Amino acid sequence: MGACLGACSLLSCASCLCGSAPCILCGCCPSSRNSTISRLIFTAFLFLGVLVSIIMLSPGVESQLHNLPWVCDEGARSPVVLRSHIDCGSLLGHRAVYRMCFATAAFFFLFTLLMTCVHSSRDPRAAIQNGFWFFKFLVFIGITVGAFYIPNGSFTNIWFYFGVVGSFLFILIQLVLVIDFAHSWNQRWLGRAEERDSRAWYAGLSFFTLLFYSLSIAAVTLFYIYYTQPSTCYEGKVFISLNLILCFCVSIIAVLPKVQEAQPNSGLLQASAVTLYTMFVTWLALSNVPDQKCNPHLLTNGTVLAGAEGYVTQWWDAPSIVGLIVFILCTLFISLRSSDHQQVNSLMRTEECPPVLEATQQQQVVACEGRAFDNEQDGVTYSYSFFHFCLLLASLHVMMTLTNWYRPGETQKMTSTWIAVWVKICASWAGLLLYLWTLVAPLLLPNRDFS
């Protein structure tokens, strides 16, 4: 009897996978907006691809990849060595990551095209966006299986450049999210300080602002210690010094009277968060410098002895781990965010929920207890197409993060290149220019409404 009841419960929840909207036919999910649940489930698809990629990088799994048709041409009888003591199985792990992330990117690219110009849930395509999860999962599995049978050829080399471009754009999106988060944080704490007439909120903002700037200064000091040498590493010195100067300049501009008058919520908290993120991107760039003297994280030092069989590669260095954590947080923020910053909404193709509509949705939450409710009948709360495009870029970015931005060469070697360094440094400069634009845009375009 208990087994029958359990089976009925599973069948009830299974309707969530095939319905026209997630969980709208059953009570297995808490009350929530349809748009939020859909974004979270699509993000779960992305995280599933990331998890599979991480598993395929582990040494135990790499030994099983020789059964696939795109193994190294030489095979196990003639192992290919990458730089110092890195066998062919490690290269296979990176090829697996490239194919897994290709499948994830192709899946989201398909939905980017399919969901173009969807304006409300009354559009028939909205039912595909918000439902039929079982069938979408089958499509995802089918694309993944097909990706693993792509002939090797020049696929990996070509896809590397797609990853470079996509990762560059996603780094900019991450900066926009950092600005949005800091702006919302600053606005809420200032509002609570005014409501409760308490200086504790001001002290909290000052504390975190000083903390972010202190961490940034500490990062710059460590960069000069570990990534530069007195008689060499001139590129690293220029990158560190230039980014430090640019961050100082935008911090000064953020508190200028004219900027404060046009944007009352602008302040040093946002500038300190942008500074800290810029130093993080600078760190990622320096970790890819292809010079052993200027880069302690270079792959040639990333090996440990593994008994009589030789060496096992340690791919997980500090920049990769921190980069993966930042990637996960930003991707979740894309799925859950509802910004009240008009310029960020314009950049991220989302809309602020009006108070009247917000009250109506609260009534729907009470009426649809235990179910998801459709909150997009009058208009979508985010651009379906742009959301999938962001996840596409996230797929490319995590591919480059997991592979340390190392390029597969013609001789089956994974090598660090200056391309990765310049892409990240240029992304940090573009991000600072983007933040500068959010500060001065109301001054340069006084006839445009930025409220």
Side-chain angles (χ1 to χ4, degrees), residues 57-79:
L57 279 177
S58 59
V61 176
E62 289 172 2
S63 62
Q64 303 297 324
L65 295 179
H66 290 273
N67 298 325
L68 296 178
W70 40 271
V71 298
C72 293
D73 296 334
E74 290 82 355
R77 293 173 298 176
S78 177

Side-chain angles (χ1 to χ4, degrees), residues 34-71:
N34 209 24
S35 58
T36 302
I37 292 179
S38 297
R39 284 182 287 179
L40 285 175
I41 297 178
F42 275 115
T43 303
F45 277 61
L46 174 62
F47 287 165
L48 177 62
V50 174
L51 178 61
V52 173
S53 298
I54 293 175
I55 293 174
M56 287 181 172
L57 279 177
S58 59
V61 176
E62 289 172 2
S63 62
Q64 303 297 324
L65 295 179
H66 290 273
N67 298 325
L68 296 178
W70 40 271
V71 298

Side-chain angles (χ1 to χ4, degrees), residues 38-47 101 104-105 107-109 112 170 173 327 330-332 334-335 384-398:
S38 297
R39 284 182 287 179
L40 285 175
I41 297 178
F42 275 115
T43 303
F45 277 61
L46 174 62
F47 287 165
C101 292
T104 308
F107 177 77
F108 291 119
F109 178 71
T112 299
F170 191 76
I173 290 177
F327 160 80
C330 288
T331 307
L332 286 174
I334 290 175
S335 303
Y384 291 173
S385 181
F386 187 76
F387 170 72
H388 289 295
F389 182 68
C390 289
L391 294 187
L392 187 159
L393 298 180
S395 303
L396 298 175
H397 177 71
V398 76

Side-chain angles (χ1 to χ4, degrees), residues 179 182 209 212-213 216 247-248 250-255 266-278 432 435 439:
I179 297 173
T209 300
F212 291 161
Y213 276 124
S216 300
C247 289
F248 177 78
V250 296
S251 298
I252 296 298
I253 294 174
V255 293
S266 172
L268 287 178
L269 179 65
Q270 296 94 314
S272 64
V274 171
T275 299
L276 183 60
Y277 180 77
T278 302
L432 288 172
Y435 175 60
L439 295 176

Side-chain angles (χ1 to χ4, degrees), residues 14-158:
S15 64
C16 298
L17 300 175
C18 303
S20 59
C23 303
I24 205 161
L25 301 179
C26 61
C28 59
C29 297
S31 299
S32 184
R33 295 177 177 86
N34 209 24
S35 58
T36 302
I37 292 179
S38 297
R39 284 182 287 179
L40 285 175
I41 297 178
F42 275 115
T43 303
F45 277 61
L46 174 62
F47 287 165
L48 177 62
V50 174
L51 178 61
V52 173
S53 298
I54 293 175
I55 293 174
M56 287 181 172
L57 279 177
S58 59
V61 176
E62 289 172 2
S63 62
Q64 303 297 324
L65 295 179
H66 290 273
N67 298 325
L68 296 178
W70 40 271
V71 298
C72 293
D73 296 334
E74 290 82 355
R77 293 173 298 176
S78 177
V80 178
V81 178
L82 310 183
R83 287 192 177 246
S84 65
H85 313 296
I86 302 175
D87 59 9
C88 186
S90 181
L91 178 60
L92 285 173
H94 279 70
R95 288 183 178 178
V97 172
Y98 271 54
R99 281 160 171 77
M100 186 67 237
C101 292
F102 170 81
T104 308
F107 177 77
F108 291 119
F109 178 71
L110 174 64
F111 278 90
T112 299
L113 299 179
L114 185 61
M115 296 300 160
T116 303
C117 298
V118 176
H119 301 294
S120 73
S121 60
R122 294 186 175 91
D123 192 307
R125 291 174 294 171
I128 301 177
Q129 167 76 8
N130 298 318
F132 303 101
W133 298 105
F134 177 73
F135 300 106
K136 284 187 282 194
F137 182 73
L138 291 181
V139 171
F140 181 70
I141 294 297
I143 296 175
T144 301
V145 172
F148 276 85
Y149 285 92
I150 297 176
N152 189 38
S154 58
F155 166 77
T156 309
N157 291 324
I158 295 175

Side-chain angles (χ1 to χ4, degrees), residues 336-412:
L336 299 173
R337 66 180 296 280
S338 180
S339 178
D340 53 5
H341 193 291
Q342 186 63 31
Q343 289 174 264
V344 172
N345 283 328
S346 299
L347 290 170
M348 296 297 294
R349 303 292 301 277
T350 55
E351 297 180 2
E352 182 181 358
C353 186
V356 176
L357 184 58
E358 183 72 24
T360 304
Q361 292 178 5
Q362 292 298 329
Q363 296 176 358
Q364 289 179 314
V365 170
V366 176
C368 302
E369 183 177 358
R371 299 179 182 178
F373 62 90
D374 186 1
N375 63 319
E376 298 180 311
Q377 292 182 354
D378 298 325
V380 295
T381 58
Y382 66 100
S383 171
Y384 291 173
S385 181
F386 187 76
F387 170 72
H388 289 295
F389 182 68
C390 289
L391 294 187
L392 187 159
L393 298 180
S395 303
L396 298 175
H397 177 71
V398 76
M399 179 185 77
M400 303 306 292
T401 300
L402 293 177
T403 57
N404 285 4
W405 287 70
Y406 278 68
R407 186 181 67 181
E410 296 179 357
T411 58
Q412 296 186 337

